[in-house]
Amino acid sequence: MNDLTLIFPYFDDGRSKSFKFPPLGIGYIAAYLRHHGYKVKVIDCTFKKMEDVVRDACQSRVVGIYSMLSMVKPALEIASALRERVELLVAGGPMPSAYPQKFLDVFDVVVQGEGEETVLELMNELDNGMKLERVKGLHLSKHIFKKTVLTIQVNGGSHIFTGQRPLIKNLDNLPFPARDLYDNDLYKQYYRRNYGYTMTSMIASRGCPFSCNFCWRPDYGRFYRFRSPENIVDEMEEIRYRFGYERIWFADELFIANKKHVIRLCQEITERRLDVLWECLARADLMDAEVAKAMKRAGCHKVIFGLEAGDDRTLKLMNKQLTVEQSKKAVYTAVKQGIKVGGFFILGYPGETNETMLKTIKLASSLPLDYFSMTVPYPLPGTKLYEMVKDRMLAEEWEKPLHGYDHRLLFKHDFSIDKLKYGMWKAVTQARLRKKLGPLYIFLKPWELYTDHKFKKMA
């Protein structure tokens, strides 16, 4: 019998060949609890079936289930199946943190924000009297009122919040994620089969000091904290030499928020002669030649910028605090140093016009990007984007379509989803043709103008 089982409810249906990574969040919690003497199991559903997950999770006193926007339905399904079969059901992650009440009809407890210290104290209380109201960072449901001694007022008779827990200040004090509990062999097989190399993820920091209107951060907020270079490279060495991964994806919200820190980290990697390639997210206005040179020397293979739009007015609507010129400069700076570059774009942000969207399409397809992703705007709870469109919301959650990989509009938009998908197709097609034809692409200018016209005419 395990003390705690932690579940990541993402089920791969085999339709997508996108990058897949083991769940770092619950890996950190597992390591932290194990460090304090608890027996912990991780169930990553990526390569599993629902019935196997439910069966395995029953062998535990407490079950914690992670949830984000795209995992609400499977998280609730698993919890419902386990409702009467385990001692305590705990929800955590971005969606439960933002909307605890949505989960408290099924779960006993919601952990808000960072989970390491909160879950440890929760487990300690289970062993010493069940006074869960003493644990900061918990939403307690009506299901456990009869199990625990409450000394604080119940909110409306339905649930209580025990109060905000401060964020962890020193990330070096946390043990590395419990990677031995992941299905490493299955992830390696997936990457070798689809990409010809192996890759896994890690984080060097938490939080982001910027406030883009579409960005959702119920876990870490704007309080930016980074680990020491020595601590980060220690984990990189573990990933490379103990677990045998060839590449690392830094899953930080913003890897290069602090220039001095990034350069120190790159120096540490270089001095240790670490044989691993890595990739990261970055802001265009924080990339310069000095940073790019240091990153390339330290093994940076690719950097992905959140460029978002090809129009300055749209970037202001997003509160991106970035200009198109800065985006272009950053891409060319990184490419000049031999780093591959990717870009994220949003098409159809509220307030956009045909002209601004065509600017985004042109920018995405004309920059020397190794890869770019273009999506419709998703209004996530707690963001300013959500506040802009909350009266037009059609659905609160994103669910993967039964067929294909279609984008889905969660709110009533000024433009149709067909128009936006046509714009995305146009951007990808233009980019491919430019790469294939080089200077000869000029002869396709009439096609580009025709598709511009067709895009404008679509509703």
Side-chain angles (χ1 to χ4, degrees), residues 2 14 19 23 207 236 247 412 455:
N2 298 303
F19 291 160
M236 294 176 73
R247 297 190 187 185
K412 188 175 181 181
F455 178 79

Side-chain angles (χ1 to χ4, degrees), residues 12-35:
D12 178 30
D13 59 11
R15 285 158 41 194
S16 172
K17 301 303 179 185
S18 60
F19 291 160
K20 304 182 195 305
F21 299 109
L24 286 175
I26 64 177
Y28 267 108
I29 295 172
Y32 195 72
L33 270 288
R34 197 164 62 176
H35 179 74

Side-chain angles (χ1 to χ4, degrees), residues 124-138:
N124 288 340
E125 284 298 332
L126 290 183
D127 292 335
N128 297 285
M130 278 291 290
K131 294 182 179 180
L132 298 184
E133 76 277 10
R134 299 190 298 196
V135 181
K136 295 294 184 183
L138 296 181

Side-chain angles (χ1 to χ4, degrees), residues 310-328:
D311 173 69
D312 285 336
R313 176 181 166 275
T314 304
L315 291 170
K316 287 182 180 178
L317 287 174
M318 298 175 174
N319 194 35
K320 186 65 184 177
Q321 300 179 47
L322 183 71
T323 66
V324 174
E325 198 56 40
Q326 288 173 316
S327 295
K328 293 178 180 178

Side-chain angles (χ1 to χ4, degrees), residues 271-388:
E271 288 171 3
R272 295 203 206 179
R273 301 181 183 275
L274 181 57
D275 178 28
V276 66
L277 296 177
W278 51 275
E279 306 173 11
C280 67
L281 290 171
R283 273 184 64 94
D285 57 341
L286 299 178
M287 174 63 71
D288 60 27
E290 183 182 8
V291 170
K293 286 178 182 178
M295 290 172 63
K296 177 62 178 178
R297 194 181 306 118
C300 180
H301 173 70
K302 182 189 294 182
V303 61
I304 301 179
F305 295 112
L307 304 178
E308 315 306 353
D311 173 69
D312 285 336
R313 176 181 166 275
T314 304
L315 291 170
K316 287 182 180 178
L317 287 174
M318 298 175 174
N319 194 35
K320 186 65 184 177
Q321 300 179 47
L322 183 71
T323 66
V324 174
E325 198 56 40
Q326 288 173 316
S327 295
K328 293 178 180 178
K329 183 177 179 181
V331 170
Y332 284 103
T333 296
V335 169
K336 185 177 180 180
Q337 297 303 322
I339 300 174
K340 292 186 176 182
V341 180
F344 291 142
F345 295 91
I346 299 174
L347 193 67
Y349 198 81
E352 282 213 78
T353 64
N354 285 323
E355 287 70 25
T356 63
M357 289 190 289
L358 285 171
K359 285 181 180 179
T360 296
I361 292 168
K362 185 171 184 178
L363 180 69
S365 61
S366 61
L367 287 173
L369 299 174
D370 177 68
Y371 151 90
F372 72 82
S373 170
M374 190 171 286
T375 183
V376 298
Y378 285 101
L380 303 175
T383 63
K384 291 184 179 179
L385 170 59
Y386 181 86
E387 292 300 314
M388 290 171 61

Side-chain angles (χ1 to χ4, degrees), residues 200-216:
T200 195
S201 58
M202 66 173 286
I203 61 169
S205 64
R206 293 183 179 182
C208 176
F210 294 89
S211 298
C212 301
N213 288 346
F214 54 82
C215 191
W216 190 39

Side-chain angles (χ1 to χ4, degrees), residues 98-343:
Y99 278 123
Q101 189 58 58
K102 185 177 187 66
F103 293 81
L104 290 171
D105 287 339
V106 179
F107 288 86
D108 298 307
V109 177
V110 163
V111 172
Q112 182 166 346
E114 291 178 316
E116 292 89 353
E117 294 178 343
T118 306
V119 176
L120 175 62
E121 290 184 21
L122 183 153
M123 295 299 294
N124 288 340
E125 284 298 332
L126 290 183
D127 292 335
N128 297 285
M130 278 291 290
K131 294 182 179 180
L132 298 184
E133 76 277 10
R134 299 190 298 196
V135 181
K136 295 294 184 183
L138 296 181
H139 292 268
L140 306 177
S141 80
K142 59 185 178 182
H143 300 300
I144 64 167
F145 289 174
K146 58 186 177 183
K147 301 180 185 178
T148 183
V149 180
L150 297 178
T151 59
I152 55 180
Q153 184 176 0
V154 177
N155 181 17
S158 59
H159 83 284
I160 61 173
F161 178 51
T162 61
Q164 200 74 31
R165 175 179 293 276
L167 294 172
I168 298 169
K169 292 182 179 180
N170 189 349
L171 300 180
D172 282 7
N173 290 336
L174 296 175
F176 302 154
R179 286 191 169 80
D180 58 300
L181 300 182
Y182 297 152
D183 295 321
N184 291 292
D185 288 342
L186 292 178
Y187 276 103
K188 288 178 183 178
Q189 291 170 20
Y190 174 84
Y191 273 91
R192 286 198 184 99
R193 183 171 63 250
N194 291 290
Y195 299 101
Y197 58 82
T198 60
M199 181 162 68
T200 195
S201 58
M202 66 173 286
I203 61 169
S205 64
R206 293 183 179 182
C208 176
F210 294 89
S211 298
C212 301
N213 288 346
F214 54 82
C215 191
W216 190 39
R217 292 170 299 186
D219 289 340
Y220 302 147
R222 293 187 64 190
F223 181 31
Y224 180 73
R225 298 147 290 157
F226 53 81
R227 298 160 56 189
S228 68
E230 296 79 12
N231 184 260
I232 295 168
V233 181
D234 284 347
E235 185 176 351
M236 294 176 73
E237 288 182 334
E238 179 184 82
I239 289 171
R240 181 68 184 98
Y241 302 123
R242 178 184 173 189
F243 293 100
Y245 285 96
E246 297 160 333
R247 297 190 187 185
I248 293 172
W249 163 250
F250 280 101
D252 304 49
E253 294 176 68
L254 181 56
F255 182 77
I256 62 169
N258 185 297
K259 178 178 177 179
K260 290 182 179 179
H261 176 258
V262 171
I263 291 176
R264 284 183 54 227
L265 171 59
C266 291
Q267 289 172 343
E268 185 72 19
I269 295 171
T270 304
E271 288 171 3
R272 295 203 206 179
R273 301 181 183 275
L274 181 57
D275 178 28
V276 66
L277 296 177
W278 51 275
E279 306 173 11
C280 67
L281 290 171
R283 273 184 64 94
D285 57 341
L286 299 178
M287 174 63 71
D288 60 27
E290 183 182 8
V291 170
K293 286 178 182 178
M295 290 172 63
K296 177 62 178 178
R297 194 181 306 118
C300 180
H301 173 70
K302 182 189 294 182
V303 61
I304 301 179
F305 295 112
L307 304 178
E308 315 306 353
D311 173 69
D312 285 336
R313 176 181 166 275
T314 304
L315 291 170
K316 287 182 180 178
L317 287 174
M318 298 175 174
N319 194 35
K320 186 65 184 177
Q321 300 179 47
L322 183 71
T323 66
V324 174
E325 198 56 40
Q326 288 173 316
S327 295
K328 293 178 180 178
K329 183 177 179 181
V331 170
Y332 284 103
T333 296
V335 169
K336 185 177 180 180
Q337 297 303 322
I339 300 174
K340 292 186 176 182
V341 180

